[in-house]
Amino acid sequence: MMESVGVYGFCGCTAKNKVKCDSRWEITASEMAPTSACSSPARSLGDTGITPLSPSHTVNDADANVSEQQTFLVVVAVDFGTTSSGYAYSFTKEPECIHVMRRWEGGDPGVSNQKTPTTILLTPERKFHSFGYAARDFYHDLDPSEAKQWLYLEKFKMKLHTTGDLTMDTDLTAANGKKIKALEIFAYALQYFKEQALKELSDQTGSEFENSDVRWVITVPAIWKQPAKQFMRQAAYQAGLASPENSEQLFIALEPEAASIYCRKLRLHQMIELSSKATVNGYSSSDTVGAGFAQAKEHVRRNRQSRTFLVENVIGEIWSELEEGDKYVVVDSGGGTVDVTVHQIRLPEGHLKELYKATGGPYGSLGVDYEFEKLLCKIFGEDFIEQFKIKRPAAWVDLMIAFESRKRAAAPDRTNPLNITLPFSFIDYYKKFRGHSVEHALRKSNVDFVKWSSQGMLRMSPDAMNALFKPTIDSIIEHLRDLFQKPEVSTVKFLFLVGGFAEAPLLQQAVQAAVGDKCRIIIPQDVGLTILKGAVLFGLDPAVIKVRRSPLTYGVGVLNRYVEGKHPPEKLLVKDGTRWCTDVFDKFISADQSVALGELVKRSYTPAKPSQLVIVINIYSSELDNVSFITDPGVKKCGTLRLDLTGASGAAVPTRREIQTLMQFGDTEIKATAIDVATSKSVKVGIDFLNY
C-alpha cells in the first residue's frame, strides 16, 4: 500500500495558471524524517497524490457543531492530585448542591482528611490492594522483610509532567525499587475512585447506580503537555470510566479553569482577601494573612461535617465587579505543579476566555519535601538516606508524614521551634549503618538550626523551616513577576490563589508582597477543594469555557508545486514531469492561537491521479509557530487518516473528486476526519501523542 500522498489545491483558478496561485494549499501527507534529499519521506510517493480544492479554511461556529448531548443523572469530578486526591458530585437535577465524598478512614494529626493521600499499594503479585490512607496504613503495619515484596507508590502523578518522551509503556518505580507500568497504576487509581463513587451514589439513592448514568470529569494541570493529558484519558478508558466509542462521557478539565469557574460563584463570606489594596472584615492587609485565614479555616472545620456545599445560582460579589473584557489571574498551587492562567470575562453570559497561554512549572509543595530530604542528606549522609529508603521504606513514609504535619505549621511570624519525630527504626538503623548515634551526627553536621531533642525528635528553628520553603516560593514569585511584565497581564483586576499549597501562610505572604500592589488577591475559604468543586460545575455546564489557546501548531505534511528560488533544492521531487516541493508543513492552526471549543477547521483536497485507490494524510504538531517543513526540528507526527477511494462507479465520480479534511478542537482532544464526498465514505482519527 502507498505510504504517502501528494495533494495540491484549487483556488478557483484554471489548470493552466495553477502553478502561479498560492502554493501553500498544495499538500501531501508524508512521513517525518531527517531533512535530506535522499531520506525525504515523500520520496516513496509512488504514483499517489492529492490536491486541495479550497484555498482557505472554514471556521464554523463551535455551537453549530455540538451534537445532541448525552444526558447523565450525575456529574462526578475526580481531582487526581500529586499529594492528595478526592471526588465530588452533583445530581444534574440539583446542580446547586455539590457533595464532597464521604470522609476517608484514617488521617494524620494536624492534616485535614477531606481528601485522601495519592498513595497506592499492590500485592507482591502486582494486584491492586488499597488506595489512600488504607494503603499507607497497611503498608506501614507490614513487617519490614514482608514490606519489601509489596509495591507501594506515592506522588507518582509528577512522572507525567517530568517525562519528556511519555508513552503507554512508561514505567513508575515503587518504594521497593521495582518497576511497574504507569498506565496500570493510573488506571487502578481511577478504577478505585469509580467504585467508591458508584457505591456512595447507590447508597445515597437506594438503588444501583450504573456507570452509564455518570458524566466523569478528571482534572489535570493546564501546563501539562498534550501527551500527559491524553495519557490520563487512556487510563480512564482502561479503568472503565468511559470508552473511545463514548468519549463524551469523560471531560478532561484544566485545573485553573475549574478553579476559575468556582471562583465566579464566591460570596464575600466564602473568601479571604490578602491584597494591600483593601481592608476586609475589619482586618488590615498585614493581619489578613494570618488572622483572616485562621478564621476561615475554623469556619471550614465547623462546616466540614456537612459534605454538601450549596452553590448559589448567582454571580458572586467579587465577580459582579468584573466588566466585559476584564482580566484576572488564577494561580493554582498544588503538590506537584503551579499552574498560572490568565482569563478574560465575556459578558453577558460570563463565559471565560483564556487570554494568555498557561504557564508554570514544578513549583508545588513537593519542593519543600525535597529540601527537607536534602537537609537530612546533609546531616546524615546521602548514602545513608538512600539505603534507609530502600531497607526501611515504611519508616521513611512515617518520617515524611511527621514532616508534613509540621510543614503545615510553618508561618511567617512563628517563634517557637517545630519538632519532627524520627521513627525508632531510623535511629536504630543509623547506629548500625554508621556506628554512632543520630545525636552525634547532628553535632558533627554543622547544621546549627536543627538540634536533637531527648524525646527522639529533630528540633527545627522556624527560620530553618522557612528556609525549606524558600527555593519553591522564590520560583513561584519569579514566575509571577515575569508574568506581570507581559502586556496582556498588565491590567489584571484580581489574582485568585487556589490549590492545597495556597493554604501555606508563607506562600500567601510572598504573593501579597510581590503583586499585592498590582491587583486584589483572593483566596477561597476551602481552598483545597476549589478545583474539585469547580470541576463539578464544569461537568454540569462545559460551555462556560469558550476560548482556549492552542498549545501546539497543527498541520499536515504536503507537496507543493516547486518554485525556483523559493523552495530548497534538496526538497525538489520530479514525478511524471511535474516538479514538486516535498515535506511542506501545511498549517491548520498555530500555537497560542485562540481556539473556540468545538471549532472546526475544514479543507478540501482532490486526488492528483483519478486512478488512485487510497489517500493517506499524515497529521503533525509542533510547539513552534513558524514551521516550514515536516522535517524541521521538533515536528512530530500525531495522526494518520487513510481513506479508501474504491467503491464508486466511474460515472458517479467527478473528475475533480473532493476529499474534505476536518479538524475539530475539543476539551483536550482533537479529532480529524477525512470524507470522500463522492461516496460519503469517511474515516476519523483522534490526534495521538503517545503512539507515534
Side-chain angles (χ1 to χ4, degrees), residues 397-407 419-422:
V397 171
D398 274 357
L399 174 54
M400 293 313 290
I401 291 167
F403 173 68
E404 179 67 26
S405 73
R406 304 325 296 141
K407 180 172 91 175
N419 294 324
I420 297 159
T421 306
L422 283 182

Side-chain angles (χ1 to χ4, degrees), residues 632-676:
D632 287 356
V635 176
K636 293 178 180 171
K637 184 175 166 185
C638 57
T640 300
L641 288 163
R642 187 180 293 264
L643 188 59
D644 179 5
L645 300 184
T646 59
S649 63
V653 180
T655 318
R656 297 181 67 76
R657 187 168 182 170
E658 185 179 358
I659 309 296
Q660 286 185 351
T661 302
L662 305 93
M663 244 189 242
Q664 184 165 25
F665 296 82
D667 60 350
T668 50
E669 279 198 306
I670 298 150
K671 294 183 176 130
T673 309
I675 305 164
D676 179 0

